[in-house]
Amino acid sequence: MSALDESARGELLALGKSDAHEPGAVLIQQGDLRSDHVFLLRSVRPRLPACAKVTAILDNGVEVLLGVRVSGDLVGEMAVFRGVGRSATVTACTPMLTFRIPATAFLSYLNNRPESWPVLAAMIAQRLDWANRRRLDFAAFEVPVRLARVLSELVERHGFAVRDGTDLGVQLSQPELGRLIGAREAAVGKAVRILKENGLLKTHYRRVIITDLEGLHAFASED
């Protein structure tokens, strides 16, 4: 909801109770029948965006990474709108602040601030576009290109300049990247090596530095 003006953002934040969370903290649990609040994510320090992962366990026990959420994002709003239980788990990946906003207060805010609806609709549409692109990627591209495509999108949205390139801006492990593109750990490990060998990136613990943005975009466009 960072696209709201300062007054609207301040009013929304004032509705919630602020809490600090460390990496690994579960904000929302898949299967929880309660849908009585939403969370607004905030960073705790400059240049370290809040980052949370959204995952779901399928009936066969496989965990799928549905997406990442960062500073300014809402989580939990779909359960509130639909009046159903939680369909996914949201877990903090970095230290962060959350503002826990009661569902009734959130819905009243939206009705009293009609300019917030287009912002919310744009956020939901962006997530739908992301999910649709990932499905198309699964059908059309091999794992290295799928990885390059998702890294290209993440760095364009969340990246920031560092001494040796551009930090991805979200902290994800190699297995989590694999879940994001529907690849097994061995396959995503091979894809990472290919991108490294092409001089496109380097990795640290839960951190990806893009060393050649133009090259990454070009690799992501290969068919």
Side-chain angles (χ1 to χ4, degrees):
M1 304 293 280
S2 55
L4 293 170
D5 64 37
E6 186 175 349
S7 171
R9 286 199 306 271
E11 184 178 333
L12 181 60
L13 290 172
L15 298 175
K17 176 186 175 183
S18 174
D19 289 302
H21 302 277
E22 292 299 317
V26 175
L27 309 179
I28 292 173
Q29 182 69 56
Q30 180 181 359
D32 189 344
L33 298 180
R34 296 171 297 174
S35 55
D36 57 353
H37 61 275
V38 300
F39 285 109
L40 181 62
L41 309 185
R42 301 281 284 184
S43 59
V44 294
R45 60 179 183 267
R47 301 197 70 179
L48 180 61
C51 176
K53 61 182 180 180
V54 183
T55 59
I57 303 295
L58 304 181
D59 290 341
N60 63 0
V62 173
E63 182 182 55
V64 178
L65 179 56
L66 301 176
V68 295
R69 304 290 179 257
V70 296
S71 308
D73 279 346
L74 279 174
V75 294
E77 77 287 344
M78 296 307 292
V80 168
F81 290 150
R82 298 168 60 203
V84 298
R86 306 297 187 174
S87 59
T89 296
V90 181
T91 308
C93 297
T94 62
M96 68 170 61
L97 291 175
T98 62
F99 286 79
R100 180 182 176 125
I101 302 171
T104 52
F106 176 62
L107 294 174
S108 294
Y109 169 86
L110 293 176
N111 290 327
N112 293 330
R113 283 275 193 173
E115 73 273 21
S116 64
W117 280 109
V119 174
L120 183 61
M123 182 190 74
I124 294 172
Q126 186 180 61
R127 293 175 183 176
L128 180 60
D129 285 344
W130 166 277
N132 286 339
R133 285 194 296 275
R134 298 291 75 77
R135 283 195 287 268
L136 291 172
D137 286 354
F138 297 157
F141 301 106
E142 297 297 325
V143 172
V145 176
R146 296 209 306 259
L147 179 60
R149 289 172 68 83
V150 78
L151 291 176
S152 291
E153 287 198 39
L154 289 172
V155 76
E156 286 297 325
R157 293 185 186 184
H158 312 302
F160 56 87
V162 292
R163 184 179 61 182
D164 46 356
T166 307
D167 193 290
L168 191 64
V170 293
Q171 295 188 3
L172 295 170
S173 67
Q174 195 163 291
E176 287 168 341
L177 286 171
R179 295 185 196 111
L180 199 57
I181 63 172
R184 295 186 182 277
E185 189 169 350
V188 77
K190 182 179 179 180
V192 168
R193 288 195 299 274
I194 290 171
L195 297 185
K196 285 181 175 179
E197 290 167 359
N198 280 271
L200 304 180
L201 58 80
K202 55 185 177 180
T203 59
H204 306 285
Y205 174 70
R206 298 187 66 87
R207 190 178 178 202
V208 177
I209 305 296
I210 307 301
T211 51
D212 181 356
L213 273 174
E214 289 187 6
L216 182 70
H217 295 329
F219 194 99
S221 299
E222 295 181 2
D223 53 25

